[in-house]
Amino acid sequence: MEPLIKINPGATKSDIRQKIWDYIEDKDLANFPRPVHNRIPNFKGAVQTCDRLTVLQEFKSSQTIKINPDRPQQHARFVTLEAHKTLLVPTPRLRSGLFNKIVPPQGADKEQLRICSSSQGVKKFSVPIGLDAKVKIDLVVVGSVAVSEKGFRIGKGEGFADLEYAMMASMGAVDESTVVVTIVHDCQVVDVPEDLMEKHDLTVDYILTPSRVIKTNCLSPKPQEIIWTKLDPEKLEKIPILKTLLAMEEQAGKDVTLGVAPPPAEPLLQTGPPKKQNRRKPRQKAARQDAQDESEEKNAEPQPNAGQRAPRVRKESRGSEGEGAERRSKKGRSGRNLKEKNPEETGGEVTPNKLPPGVTTVYLGGIPTGLRVSELKTSLREREAAPLRLTWQGAQHRAFLDYSNPEAAEKALEALQGLSLNGHSVQAELAKSQRRSKRTGPTNRNARSAAAPASDVEAADSKSEAHEQTE
Protein backbone atom coordinates (compact mmCIF):
# COMPACT_ATOMS: atom_id res chain seq x y z
CA MET A 1 0.00 0.00 0.00
CA GLU A 2 1.35 3.42 -1.00
CA PRO A 3 2.00 5.71 2.01
CA LEU A 4 -0.43 8.63 2.38
CA ILE A 5 2.47 10.96 3.23
CA LYS A 6 5.57 11.18 1.07
CA ILE A 7 8.85 11.65 2.90
CA ASN A 8 11.41 13.78 1.10
CA PRO A 9 14.95 12.44 0.62
CA GLY A 10 17.26 13.66 3.33
CA ALA A 11 14.41 14.27 5.79
CA THR A 12 15.34 14.13 9.47
CA LYS A 13 13.31 12.56 12.25
CA SER A 14 12.14 16.04 13.20
CA ASP A 15 11.04 16.73 9.61
CA ILE A 16 9.02 13.50 9.52
CA ARG A 17 7.33 14.24 12.84
CA GLN A 18 6.39 17.73 11.76
CA LYS A 19 4.99 16.54 8.44
CA ILE A 20 2.79 13.92 10.11
CA TRP A 21 1.58 16.25 12.86
CA ASP A 22 0.69 18.90 10.27
CA TYR A 23 -1.09 16.36 8.08
CA ILE A 24 -3.19 15.00 10.96
CA GLU A 25 -4.20 18.51 11.99
CA ASP A 26 -4.92 19.69 8.43
CA LYS A 27 -7.07 16.63 7.71
CA ASP A 28 -8.78 16.74 11.13
CA LEU A 29 -7.83 13.15 11.89
CA ALA A 30 -7.40 13.49 15.66
CA ASN A 31 -9.49 13.52 18.80
CA PHE A 32 -8.70 15.36 22.05
CA PRO A 33 -6.08 16.39 23.06
CA ARG A 34 -5.40 18.84 20.23
CA PRO A 35 -3.30 19.98 18.54
CA VAL A 36 -1.31 16.79 18.15
CA HIS A 37 2.10 18.44 17.79
CA ASN A 38 4.68 17.09 20.27
CA ARG A 39 2.31 14.26 21.22
CA ILE A 40 1.58 10.67 20.31
CA PRO A 41 -1.53 11.53 18.24
CA ASN A 42 -4.88 10.37 19.60
CA PHE A 43 -6.17 9.62 16.12
CA LYS A 44 -9.79 9.05 15.16
CA GLY A 45 -10.47 5.33 15.08
CA ALA A 46 -7.96 4.52 17.82
CA VAL A 47 -10.53 2.50 19.80
CA GLN A 48 -11.40 0.27 16.85
CA THR A 49 -7.72 -0.10 16.03
CA CYS A 50 -6.93 -1.19 19.58
CA ASP A 51 -9.54 -3.94 19.18
CA ARG A 52 -7.31 -5.44 16.48
CA LEU A 53 -4.83 -6.25 19.23
CA THR A 54 -7.09 -9.05 20.46
CA VAL A 55 -6.91 -10.94 17.14
CA LEU A 56 -3.13 -11.30 17.30
CA GLN A 57 -2.00 -14.75 18.36
CA GLU A 58 0.83 -13.07 20.26
CA PHE A 59 -1.76 -11.22 22.35
CA LYS A 60 -3.81 -14.34 23.01
CA SER A 61 -0.77 -16.27 24.22
CA SER A 62 0.64 -13.42 26.34
CA GLN A 63 0.29 -13.33 30.10
CA THR A 64 1.98 -10.00 30.90
CA ILE A 65 1.62 -6.99 28.62
CA LYS A 66 3.25 -3.58 28.97
CA ILE A 67 1.33 -0.70 27.33
CA ASN A 68 2.35 2.94 27.25
CA PRO A 69 0.15 5.50 29.09
CA ASP A 70 -0.84 7.63 26.07
CA ARG A 71 -4.50 8.33 25.29
CA PRO A 72 -4.67 6.48 21.92
CA GLN A 73 -3.64 3.25 23.69
CA GLN A 74 -6.25 3.55 26.46
CA HIS A 75 -8.58 1.01 24.83
CA ALA A 76 -5.64 -1.39 24.43
CA ARG A 77 -5.21 -1.22 28.20
CA PHE A 78 -8.92 -1.94 28.60
CA VAL A 79 -8.96 -5.05 26.36
CA THR A 80 -5.87 -6.31 28.18
CA LEU A 81 -7.61 -6.04 31.55
CA GLU A 82 -10.81 -7.47 30.09
CA ALA A 83 -8.84 -10.53 28.91
CA HIS A 84 -7.62 -11.01 32.52
CA LYS A 85 -4.00 -10.42 31.60
CA THR A 86 -1.41 -8.67 33.73
CA LEU A 87 -1.13 -5.03 32.63
CA LEU A 88 2.02 -2.99 33.27
CA VAL A 89 2.08 0.75 32.53
CA PRO A 90 5.22 2.94 32.65
CA THR A 91 5.17 5.77 35.15
CA PRO A 92 4.81 9.15 33.38
CA ARG A 93 8.21 10.33 32.19
CA LEU A 94 9.76 7.65 34.47
CA ARG A 95 9.80 10.14 37.38
CA SER A 96 8.89 7.74 40.17
CA GLY A 97 10.00 4.37 38.82
CA LEU A 98 9.82 2.15 35.76
CA PHE A 99 6.28 0.80 35.67
CA ASN A 100 3.21 -0.07 37.72
CA LYS A 101 1.01 -3.14 37.72
CA ILE A 102 -2.69 -2.28 37.33
CA VAL A 103 -4.81 -4.17 39.85
CA PRO A 104 -8.57 -3.71 39.23
CA PRO A 105 -11.05 -4.07 42.13
CA GLN A 106 -12.23 -7.58 42.92
CA GLY A 107 -14.97 -8.59 40.47
CA ALA A 108 -14.63 -5.35 38.45
CA ASP A 109 -17.21 -4.94 35.66
CA LYS A 110 -16.52 -3.40 32.26
CA GLU A 111 -17.14 0.13 33.41
CA GLN A 112 -14.70 -0.26 36.28
CA LEU A 113 -12.14 -1.76 33.91
CA ARG A 114 -12.54 1.26 31.63
CA ILE A 115 -11.80 3.50 34.60
CA CYS A 116 -8.74 1.40 35.47
CA SER A 117 -7.46 1.82 31.90
CA SER A 118 -7.71 5.62 32.03
CA SER A 119 -4.81 7.75 33.23
CA GLN A 120 -6.60 8.40 36.52
CA GLY A 121 -7.32 4.71 36.99
CA VAL A 122 -3.71 3.84 36.25
CA LYS A 123 -2.71 6.00 39.22
CA LYS A 124 -5.50 4.83 41.52
CA PHE A 125 -5.36 1.09 40.89
CA SER A 126 -1.64 0.52 40.45
CA VAL A 127 1.11 -1.20 42.42
CA PRO A 128 4.75 -0.19 41.79
CA ILE A 129 7.04 -2.84 40.32
CA GLY A 130 10.63 -2.66 41.58
CA LEU A 131 13.78 -3.24 39.60
CA ASP A 132 14.39 -6.44 41.52
CA ALA A 133 11.01 -7.89 40.56
CA LYS A 134 11.21 -11.05 38.48
CA VAL A 135 8.93 -9.91 35.68
CA LYS A 136 8.72 -11.49 32.23
CA ILE A 137 6.93 -9.30 29.68
CA ASP A 138 5.48 -11.15 26.70
CA LEU A 139 4.12 -8.23 24.67
CA VAL A 140 4.93 -4.51 24.52
CA VAL A 141 2.51 -1.94 23.03
CA VAL A 142 3.91 1.50 22.21
CA GLY A 143 2.67 4.63 20.52
CA SER A 144 4.45 6.20 17.57
CA VAL A 145 4.46 9.38 15.54
CA ALA A 146 5.76 7.56 12.47
CA VAL A 147 6.55 3.96 11.60
CA SER A 148 7.57 2.14 8.43
CA GLU A 149 6.35 -1.20 7.15
CA LYS A 150 9.90 -2.41 7.80
CA GLY A 151 9.41 -1.78 11.51
CA PHE A 152 11.41 1.43 11.92
CA ARG A 153 9.72 3.63 14.51
CA ILE A 154 9.91 7.34 15.36
CA GLY A 155 8.44 8.58 18.64
CA LYS A 156 7.69 12.14 19.71
CA GLY A 157 11.37 12.86 20.26
CA GLU A 158 11.90 12.43 23.99
CA GLY A 159 13.20 8.87 23.82
CA PHE A 160 11.14 7.44 26.67
CA ALA A 161 9.86 4.36 24.80
CA ASP A 162 13.41 3.47 23.73
CA LEU A 163 14.76 4.06 27.23
CA GLU A 164 11.94 2.09 28.88
CA TYR A 165 12.67 -0.91 26.66
CA ALA A 166 16.40 -0.70 27.35
CA MET A 167 15.71 -0.53 31.09
CA MET A 168 13.42 -3.55 30.88
CA ALA A 169 16.11 -5.39 28.97
CA SER A 170 18.68 -4.51 31.64
CA MET A 171 16.47 -6.01 34.35
CA GLY A 172 15.71 -9.11 32.26
CA ALA A 173 12.03 -8.32 31.74
CA VAL A 174 12.26 -8.48 27.92
CA ASP A 175 14.46 -10.36 25.47
CA GLU A 176 14.66 -11.24 21.78
CA SER A 177 11.36 -13.13 21.97
CA THR A 178 9.36 -10.14 23.25
CA VAL A 179 6.92 -8.88 20.61
CA VAL A 180 6.49 -5.12 20.12
CA VAL A 181 3.29 -3.69 18.64
CA THR A 182 2.48 -0.09 17.72
CA ILE A 183 -1.00 1.36 17.15
CA VAL A 184 -1.22 4.24 14.67
CA HIS A 185 -3.35 5.88 11.98
CA ASP A 186 -2.78 4.79 8.38
CA CYS A 187 -1.21 8.15 7.56
CA GLN A 188 1.49 7.54 10.17
CA VAL A 189 2.83 4.57 8.19
CA VAL A 190 5.53 6.15 6.03
CA ASP A 191 8.89 5.30 4.47
CA VAL A 192 11.25 5.94 7.39
CA PRO A 193 14.82 5.89 6.05
CA GLU A 194 16.83 3.10 7.66
CA ASP A 195 19.86 5.36 8.03
CA LEU A 196 17.93 7.47 10.56
CA MET A 197 17.77 4.53 12.94
CA GLU A 198 20.33 4.31 15.74
CA LYS A 199 21.35 1.48 18.05
CA HIS A 200 19.10 2.69 20.87
CA ASP A 201 15.97 3.05 18.68
CA LEU A 202 13.14 0.58 19.34
CA THR A 203 11.78 -1.29 16.32
CA VAL A 204 8.34 -2.94 16.08
CA ASP A 205 7.06 -6.33 14.97
CA TYR A 206 3.44 -5.42 14.27
CA ILE A 207 1.69 -2.23 13.15
CA LEU A 208 -2.05 -1.92 13.79
CA THR A 209 -3.97 0.73 11.85
CA PRO A 210 -7.71 1.34 11.28
CA SER A 211 -7.47 -0.60 7.99
CA ARG A 212 -4.58 -3.05 8.38
CA VAL A 213 -2.54 -5.40 10.51
CA ILE A 214 1.06 -5.23 9.27
CA LYS A 215 3.68 -7.79 10.25
CA THR A 216 7.01 -6.06 9.72
CA ASN A 217 9.40 -9.03 9.86
CA CYS A 218 11.95 -6.52 11.10
CA LEU A 219 15.45 -7.95 11.39
CA SER A 220 17.03 -4.99 13.18
CA PRO A 221 17.75 -5.88 16.81
CA LYS A 222 15.93 -4.13 19.62
CA PRO A 223 17.86 -2.41 22.42
CA GLN A 224 19.22 -5.04 24.81
CA GLU A 225 20.88 -2.71 27.27
CA ILE A 226 21.11 0.92 28.29
CA ILE A 227 23.59 2.87 26.21
CA TRP A 228 24.94 5.07 28.98
CA THR A 229 26.89 7.34 26.64
CA LYS A 230 23.49 8.48 25.26
CA LEU A 231 22.61 9.78 28.74
CA ASP A 232 24.08 12.58 30.81
CA PRO A 233 24.05 13.56 34.52
CA GLU A 234 21.10 15.92 33.96
CA LYS A 235 19.02 13.01 32.62
CA LEU A 236 19.88 10.97 35.71
CA GLU A 237 18.68 13.79 37.94
CA LYS A 238 15.34 13.86 36.12
CA ILE A 239 14.94 10.06 36.21
CA PRO A 240 16.16 8.83 39.62
CA ILE A 241 15.59 5.16 38.76
CA LEU A 242 18.43 5.46 36.26
CA LYS A 243 20.80 6.13 39.15
CA THR A 244 19.82 2.83 40.71
CA LEU A 245 20.31 0.97 37.44
CA LEU A 246 23.65 2.67 36.89
CA ALA A 247 24.85 1.56 40.35
CA MET A 248 23.65 -2.00 39.69
CA GLU A 249 25.42 -2.21 36.32
CA GLU A 250 28.57 -0.58 37.65
CA GLN A 251 28.67 -3.17 40.42
CA ALA A 252 28.26 -5.87 37.79
CA GLY A 253 31.40 -4.56 36.05
CA LYS A 254 29.72 -2.89 33.06
CA ASP A 255 30.91 0.34 31.46
CA VAL A 256 28.54 3.06 32.67
CA THR A 257 30.40 6.08 31.31
CA LEU A 258 27.91 8.88 30.75
CA GLY A 259 27.75 11.23 27.80
CA VAL A 260 28.18 14.98 28.02
CA ALA A 261 25.11 17.21 28.24
CA PRO A 262 24.71 19.29 25.05
CA PRO A 263 25.85 22.87 25.66
CA PRO A 264 23.38 25.78 25.31
CA ALA A 265 25.31 26.94 22.25
CA GLU A 266 22.90 29.18 20.35
CA PRO A 267 22.19 31.85 22.97
CA LEU A 268 25.89 32.17 23.81
CA LEU A 269 26.97 32.51 20.19
CA GLN A 270 24.62 35.37 19.39
CA THR A 271 26.36 38.67 20.00
CA GLY A 272 24.21 41.17 18.14
CA PRO A 273 21.11 42.91 19.51
CA PRO A 274 17.99 40.72 19.70
CA LYS A 275 15.59 40.98 16.82
CA LYS A 276 12.06 42.05 17.70
CA GLN A 277 10.39 39.14 15.92
CA ASN A 278 12.40 36.60 17.97
CA ARG A 279 10.13 37.29 20.91
CA ARG A 280 6.98 38.84 19.53
CA LYS A 281 6.03 36.35 16.88
CA PRO A 282 5.96 33.23 19.04
CA ARG A 283 4.12 35.14 21.79
CA GLN A 284 1.43 36.27 19.33
CA LYS A 285 1.05 32.66 18.32
CA ALA A 286 0.81 31.55 21.93
CA ALA A 287 -1.91 34.11 22.64
CA ARG A 288 -4.09 32.43 20.06
CA GLN A 289 -3.49 28.88 21.26
CA ASP A 290 -5.44 26.90 23.80
CA ALA A 291 -3.67 26.85 27.14
CA GLN A 292 -3.43 23.07 27.29
CA ASP A 293 -1.22 22.84 24.21
CA GLU A 294 2.28 22.03 25.39
CA SER A 295 3.75 22.26 21.93
CA GLU A 296 2.61 25.83 21.47
CA GLU A 297 3.78 26.62 24.99
CA LYS A 298 7.25 25.73 23.83
CA ASN A 299 6.86 28.27 21.03
CA ALA A 300 5.54 30.79 23.53
CA GLU A 301 8.57 30.56 25.81
CA PRO A 302 10.64 33.70 25.23
CA GLN A 303 13.91 33.34 23.43
CA PRO A 304 16.97 33.72 25.70
CA ASN A 305 17.95 36.99 24.04
CA ALA A 306 14.58 38.43 24.90
CA GLY A 307 15.74 38.71 28.51
CA GLN A 308 17.59 41.86 27.51
CA ARG A 309 14.23 43.49 26.77
CA ALA A 310 12.51 42.67 30.04
CA PRO A 311 12.76 46.25 31.43
CA ARG A 312 10.79 47.58 28.45
CA VAL A 313 8.09 44.99 28.99
CA ARG A 314 7.71 45.84 32.66
CA LYS A 315 7.52 49.53 31.85
CA GLU A 316 4.53 48.92 29.60
CA SER A 317 2.76 46.97 32.33
CA ARG A 318 3.06 49.81 34.87
CA GLY A 319 1.30 52.52 32.87
CA SER A 320 -1.70 53.87 34.80
CA GLU A 321 -2.72 57.33 33.57
CA GLY A 322 -4.01 58.79 30.31
CA GLU A 323 -2.43 57.37 27.19
CA GLY A 324 -0.40 54.83 29.15
CA ALA A 325 -3.53 53.33 30.73
CA GLU A 326 -5.28 53.21 27.37
CA ARG A 327 -2.29 51.47 25.81
CA ARG A 328 -2.15 48.99 28.71
CA SER A 329 -5.85 48.18 28.25
CA LYS A 330 -5.18 47.14 24.67
CA LYS A 331 -1.89 45.31 25.13
CA GLY A 332 -0.62 42.66 27.52
CA ARG A 333 2.65 42.81 29.37
CA SER A 334 4.32 40.74 26.70
CA GLY A 335 3.16 43.06 23.92
CA ARG A 336 0.48 40.68 22.64
CA ASN A 337 -2.73 41.97 21.10
CA LEU A 338 -5.63 40.85 23.28
CA LYS A 339 -9.33 40.40 22.70
CA GLU A 340 -10.26 41.52 26.20
CA LYS A 341 -8.49 43.54 28.87
CA ASN A 342 -10.15 45.30 31.77
CA PRO A 343 -7.87 45.89 34.77
CA GLU A 344 -10.80 46.41 37.12
CA GLU A 345 -12.31 43.05 36.20
CA THR A 346 -9.07 41.12 36.13
CA GLY A 347 -7.23 42.56 39.09
CA GLY A 348 -4.54 43.92 36.80
CA GLU A 349 -4.01 40.59 35.05
CA VAL A 350 -3.72 39.86 31.35
CA THR A 351 -6.58 37.84 29.88
CA PRO A 352 -5.50 36.53 26.46
CA ASN A 353 -8.95 35.17 25.61
CA LYS A 354 -12.40 35.89 26.91
CA LEU A 355 -13.40 33.10 29.26
CA PRO A 356 -16.99 31.86 29.51
CA PRO A 357 -19.09 32.50 32.65
CA GLY A 358 -18.71 29.98 35.46
CA VAL A 359 -14.97 29.54 35.03
CA THR A 360 -13.44 28.23 38.26
CA THR A 361 -9.82 28.79 39.23
CA VAL A 362 -7.46 26.41 41.00
CA TYR A 363 -4.35 27.64 42.79
CA LEU A 364 -1.09 25.66 42.57
CA GLY A 365 1.52 26.56 45.17
CA GLY A 366 4.97 25.27 46.01
CA ILE A 367 6.17 25.05 42.41
CA PRO A 368 9.90 24.26 42.60
CA THR A 369 12.55 26.64 41.36
CA GLY A 370 13.71 25.88 37.83
CA LEU A 371 10.53 24.11 36.72
CA ARG A 372 9.49 25.15 33.23
CA VAL A 373 5.90 25.91 32.36
CA SER A 374 5.98 23.23 29.64
CA GLU A 375 6.90 20.63 32.27
CA LEU A 376 3.94 21.69 34.42
CA LYS A 377 1.60 21.46 31.44
CA THR A 378 2.88 17.98 30.64
CA SER A 379 2.11 16.87 34.21
CA LEU A 380 -1.38 18.39 33.98
CA ARG A 381 -2.07 16.52 30.76
CA GLU A 382 -0.82 13.27 32.20
CA ARG A 383 -3.30 13.63 35.06
CA GLU A 384 -6.09 14.71 32.68
CA ALA A 385 -6.25 18.06 34.47
CA ALA A 386 -5.41 20.39 31.55
CA PRO A 387 -7.11 23.78 32.11
CA LEU A 388 -8.77 26.22 29.74
CA ARG A 389 -6.01 28.64 30.61
CA LEU A 390 -2.86 28.55 32.72
CA THR A 391 -1.37 31.65 34.33
CA TRP A 392 2.28 31.01 35.16
CA GLN A 393 3.98 32.82 38.04
CA GLY A 394 7.08 30.65 38.37
CA ALA A 395 9.13 33.30 40.18
CA GLN A 396 6.51 33.24 42.95
CA HIS A 397 6.39 29.41 42.86
CA ARG A 398 2.73 29.36 41.89
CA ALA A 399 0.31 29.07 38.97
CA PHE A 400 -3.42 29.51 38.45
CA LEU A 401 -5.53 27.10 36.41
CA ASP A 402 -8.90 28.12 34.91
CA TYR A 403 -11.49 25.38 34.40
CA SER A 404 -14.83 25.64 32.59
CA ASN A 405 -17.01 25.10 35.66
CA PRO A 406 -16.84 24.11 39.35
CA GLU A 407 -17.29 20.42 38.53
CA ALA A 408 -14.30 20.42 36.17
CA ALA A 409 -12.24 22.23 38.80
CA GLU A 410 -13.19 19.71 41.49
CA LYS A 411 -12.27 16.84 39.18
CA ALA A 412 -8.93 18.50 38.48
CA LEU A 413 -8.32 19.04 42.20
CA GLU A 414 -8.88 15.36 42.84
CA ALA A 415 -6.47 14.47 40.05
CA LEU A 416 -3.83 16.88 41.35
CA GLN A 417 -3.76 15.59 44.90
CA GLY A 418 -0.31 14.22 45.66
CA LEU A 419 1.22 15.94 42.63
CA SER A 420 5.01 16.04 42.85
CA LEU A 421 7.17 18.10 40.48
CA ASN A 422 10.91 17.50 40.38
CA GLY A 423 10.66 15.81 43.77
CA HIS A 424 8.70 18.65 45.40
CA SER A 425 5.10 18.29 46.59
CA VAL A 426 2.77 20.85 45.05
CA GLN A 427 -0.26 22.32 46.84
CA ALA A 428 -3.50 22.32 44.83
CA GLU A 429 -6.64 24.05 46.10
CA LEU A 430 -9.41 26.34 44.95
CA ALA A 431 -8.30 29.96 44.66
CA LYS A 432 -9.39 32.07 47.65
CA SER A 433 -12.31 33.78 45.93
CA GLN A 434 -13.57 30.40 44.69
CA ARG A 435 -13.71 29.13 48.26
CA ARG A 436 -15.66 32.22 49.27
CA SER A 437 -18.02 31.90 46.32
CA LYS A 438 -19.18 28.51 47.60
CA ARG A 439 -20.76 30.38 50.50
CA THR A 440 -21.71 33.70 48.94
CA GLY A 441 -22.96 33.06 45.44
CA PRO A 442 -21.88 32.38 41.82
CA THR A 443 -18.31 31.52 40.97
CA ASN A 444 -16.00 34.48 40.56
CA ARG A 445 -14.41 33.99 37.16
CA ASN A 446 -11.49 36.24 38.15
CA ALA A 447 -10.32 34.30 41.16
CA ARG A 448 -6.75 35.38 40.94
CA SER A 449 -7.57 39.01 41.71
CA ALA A 450 -8.79 37.86 45.11
CA ALA A 451 -6.12 35.22 45.58
CA ALA A 452 -3.46 37.93 45.42
CA PRO A 453 -3.67 41.77 45.32
CA ALA A 454 -3.56 43.26 41.85
CA SER A 455 -0.26 44.97 42.53
CA ASP A 456 1.25 41.69 43.70
CA VAL A 457 0.00 39.85 40.61
CA GLU A 458 1.32 42.57 38.36
CA ALA A 459 4.72 42.47 40.00
CA ALA A 460 4.68 38.67 39.97
CA ASP A 461 3.92 38.60 36.25
CA SER A 462 6.80 40.93 35.48
CA LYS A 463 9.22 38.93 37.60
CA SER A 464 7.97 35.64 36.13
CA GLU A 465 8.40 36.92 32.62
CA ALA A 466 11.92 38.09 33.36
CA HIS A 467 12.71 34.73 34.95
CA GLU A 468 11.47 32.76 31.94
CA GLN A 469 13.38 35.01 29.59
CA THR A 470 16.65 34.07 31.28
CA GLU A 471 16.03 30.30 31.42
Side-chain angles (χ1 to χ4, degrees), residues 218-284:
C218 185
L219 299 178
S220 296
K222 299 178 177 64
Q224 291 302 313
E225 61 182 1
I226 297 173
I227 304 176
W228 293 103
T229 53
K230 290 288 184 181
L231 305 175
D232 56 64
E234 183 179 347
K235 193 77 168 180
L236 262 65
E237 289 300 321
K238 292 181 178 179
I239 307 177
I241 192 174
L242 280 174
K243 292 182 181 179
T244 307
L245 272 171
L246 183 143
M248 291 170 59
E249 296 208 350
E250 187 174 31
Q251 188 175 6
K254 294 187 178 181
D255 183 2
V256 293
T257 304
L258 296 176
V260 179
E266 288 188 22
L268 297 178
L269 291 175
Q270 294 177 359
T271 57
K275 296 180 181 180
K276 291 183 178 180
Q277 64 266 29
N278 284 355
R279 180 170 175 272
R280 282 184 173 271
K281 285 187 177 179
R283 281 188 174 274
Q284 289 170 351

Side-chain angles (χ1 to χ4, degrees), residues 315-335:
K315 183 177 179 180
E316 283 186 4
S317 71
R318 288 198 292 266
S320 58
E321 297 292 340
E323 181 181 350
E326 181 179 353
R327 181 172 65 251
R328 185 176 55 164
S329 70
K330 294 179 181 179
K331 277 195 170 185
R333 292 178 184 82
S334 59

Side-chain angles (χ1 to χ4, degrees), residues 144-396:
S144 302
V145 174
V147 64
S148 75
E149 292 190 13
K150 294 180 179 180
F152 304 135
R153 171 191 174 274
I154 296 177
K156 60 184 176 183
E158 295 181 324
F160 283 107
D162 305 320
L163 184 56
E164 286 164 9
Y165 195 91
M167 292 168 72
M168 290 187 292
S170 294
M171 62 184 286
V174 295
D175 55 31
E176 296 84 354
S177 66
T178 306
V179 175
V180 178
V181 177
T182 192
I183 298 172
V184 296
H185 190 273
D186 286 286
C187 74
Q188 293 172 258
V189 182
V190 297
D191 293 328
V192 177
E194 185 172 358
D195 58 11
L196 290 181
M197 296 295 103
E198 299 180 68
K199 186 178 179 181
H200 67 275
D201 286 323
L202 179 62
T203 56
V204 303
D205 302 297
Y206 283 93
I207 304 168
L208 308 184
T209 79
S211 68
R212 296 191 288 167
V213 174
I214 304 169
K215 187 173 183 179
T216 68
N217 297 310
C218 185
L219 299 178
S220 296
K222 299 178 177 64
Q224 291 302 313
E225 61 182 1
I226 297 173
I227 304 176
W228 293 103
T229 53
K230 290 288 184 181
L231 305 175
D232 56 64
E234 183 179 347
K235 193 77 168 180
L236 262 65
E237 289 300 321
K238 292 181 178 179
I239 307 177
I241 192 174
L242 280 174
K243 292 182 181 179
T244 307
L245 272 171
L246 183 143
M248 291 170 59
E249 296 208 350
E250 187 174 31
Q251 188 175 6
K254 294 187 178 181
D255 183 2
V256 293
T257 304
L258 296 176
V260 179
E266 288 188 22
L268 297 178
L269 291 175
Q270 294 177 359
T271 57
K275 296 180 181 180
K276 291 183 178 180
Q277 64 266 29
N278 284 355
R279 180 170 175 272
R280 282 184 173 271
K281 285 187 177 179
R283 281 188 174 274
Q284 289 170 351
K285 184 176 182 180
R288 296 192 298 267
Q289 271 307 357
D290 188 277
Q292 57 194 347
D293 171 27
E294 180 191 9
S295 64
E296 292 307 316
E297 184 60 45
K298 291 179 181 176
N299 290 332
E301 290 173 6
Q303 299 296 324
N305 282 340
Q308 301 171 24
R309 296 169 48 168
R312 181 185 63 76
V313 175
R314 291 197 293 273
K315 183 177 179 180
E316 283 186 4
S317 71
R318 288 198 292 266
S320 58
E321 297 292 340
E323 181 181 350
E326 181 179 353
R327 181 172 65 251
R328 185 176 55 164
S329 70
K330 294 179 181 179
K331 277 195 170 185
R333 292 178 184 82
S334 59
R336 291 177 284 182
N337 294 325
L338 306 178
K339 295 181 180 179
E340 176 186 342
K341 182 77 158 64
N342 186 332
E344 291 183 2
E345 291 182 355
T346 64
E349 223 181 287
V350 175
T351 53
N353 295 294
K354 186 174 182 180
L355 293 172
V359 165
T360 304
T361 303
V362 169
Y363 164 83
L364 280 186
I367 292 175
T369 301
L371 185 81
R372 299 182 68 84
V373 64
S374 57
E375 293 176 308
L376 172 60
K377 296 180 83 172
T378 297
S379 294
L380 294 176
R381 279 208 321 275
E382 289 169 351
R383 289 177 173 250
E384 295 190 344
L388 290 175
R389 183 180 66 177
L390 183 154
T391 299
W392 174 255
Q393 295 179 2
Q396 281 63 46

